[in-house]
């Protein structure tokens, strides 16, 4: 019973910490202090250590000898890796989903696109964008594939929030509309090609560091 309870607590701690890392509250390189986290959640060190292992498995934290556990950093190479993986896996899911897509599903996906286009902040845009992708991919009926795509979307969100945390400009997503048009008209191959290009595109924006310097941040904006 205690083992099950620790697993439950560890999962909850890892979910909360993952959200903080993805949203940028916890920044790359920041130390995750076991004592402080255990105190915050009213837990022993056992579930906290398990939560750290879960975060490491997601690529969100790293354990360093004599330095403890820290929030994982990322670079352009990692952004490209996620973009390329998404392009392959989302196209695979879409091809399996196409026979099961209905007009109602596509209408909901269109509504998600409208919500994204009218978003005034990066968090609401990311939620609407993720909803669009999930709606057109979920009918594939392949839970392991969808779980992998969900993990990649979480990584994409982290890159996005890092690059656009301080500013966001409303935008019209022409790719989403082109994908929907192709799906409605039975042009599945064209929809898949647009989707692959869409999620594989990497944007960049200048951001201010804590030291007041300017650097370029890269993100997946599809």
């Amino acid at each position: 019973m205690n083992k099950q309870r620790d697993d439950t607590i560890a999962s909850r701690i890892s979910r909360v910490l993952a959200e903080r890392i993805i949203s940028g509250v916890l920044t790359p390189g920041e130390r995750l202090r076991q004592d402080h986290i255990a105190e915050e959640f009213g837990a022993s060190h056992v579930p906290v250590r398990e939560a750290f292992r879960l975060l490491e498995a997601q690529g969100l934290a790293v354990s360093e000898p004599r330095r403890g556990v820290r929030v994982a950093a990322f670079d352009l190479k990692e952004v490209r890796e996620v973009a390329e993986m998404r392009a392959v896996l989302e196209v695979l899911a879409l091809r399996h989903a196409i026979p099961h897509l209905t007009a109602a599903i596509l209408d909901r996906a269109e509504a998600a696109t409208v919500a994204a286009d009218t978003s005034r902040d990066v968090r609401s845009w990311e939620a609407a964008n993720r909803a669009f992708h999930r709606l057109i991919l979920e009918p594939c009926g392949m839970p392991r594939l969808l779980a992998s795509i969900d993990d990649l979307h979480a990584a994409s969100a982290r890159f996005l929030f890092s690059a656009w945390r301080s500013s966001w400009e409303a935008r019209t997503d022409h790719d989403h509309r082109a994908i929907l048009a192709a799906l409605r008209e039975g042009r599945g191959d064209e929809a898949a090609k647009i989707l692959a290009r869409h999620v594989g595109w990497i944007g960049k924006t200048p951001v201010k560091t804590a030291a007041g310097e300017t650097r370029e941040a890269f993100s997946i904006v599809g």
Side-chain angles (χ1 to χ4, degrees), residues 102-113:
T102 64
I105 292 172
L106 296 178
D107 286 346
R108 289 167 62 198
E110 185 171 358
T113 291

Side-chain angles (χ1 to χ4, degrees), residues 72-194:
F74 60 85
D75 56 20
L76 178 57
K77 181 180 177 181
E78 185 175 352
V79 178
R80 281 180 175 151
E81 179 183 16
V82 171
E84 290 181 13
M85 289 178 69
R86 278 188 59 190
V88 172
L89 296 185
E90 291 195 33
V91 166
L92 175 62
L94 180 62
R95 291 193 183 280
H96 284 273
I98 284 172
H100 310 290
L101 289 172
T102 64
I105 292 172
L106 296 178
D107 286 346
R108 289 167 62 198
E110 185 171 358
T113 291
V114 172
D117 288 350
T118 56
S119 294
R120 290 295 179 265
D121 61 81
V122 66
R123 291 186 68 88
S124 59
W125 181 89
E126 194 278 329
N129 181 68
R130 192 187 301 212
F132 170 85
H133 287 265
R134 183 74 189 199
L135 282 163
I136 65 172
L137 302 180
E138 192 166 24
C140 74
M142 303 170 75
R144 289 185 180 181
L145 176 59
L146 290 171
S148 296
I149 291 171
D150 283 345
D151 285 344
L152 292 171
H153 271 271
S156 293
R158 186 183 179 211
F159 306 150
L160 185 76
F161 293 155
S162 175
W164 295 94
R165 188 165 56 243
S166 60
S167 64
W168 180 253
E169 297 175 1
R171 60 197 60 205
T172 299
D173 201 319
H174 299 290
D175 282 347
H176 281 194
R177 285 173 167 74
I179 290 167
L180 287 171
L183 291 173
R184 290 188 192 278
E185 295 167 13
R187 294 179 280 115
D189 286 343
E190 184 177 343
K193 287 178 183 178
I194 299 169

Side-chain angles (χ1 to χ4, degrees), residues 28-44:
E30 186 170 343
R31 186 177 175 188
L32 300 177
R33 299 181 182 276
Q34 189 176 125
D35 290 343
H36 293 178
I37 293 169
E39 182 178 355
E40 177 185 351
F41 289 91
S44 70

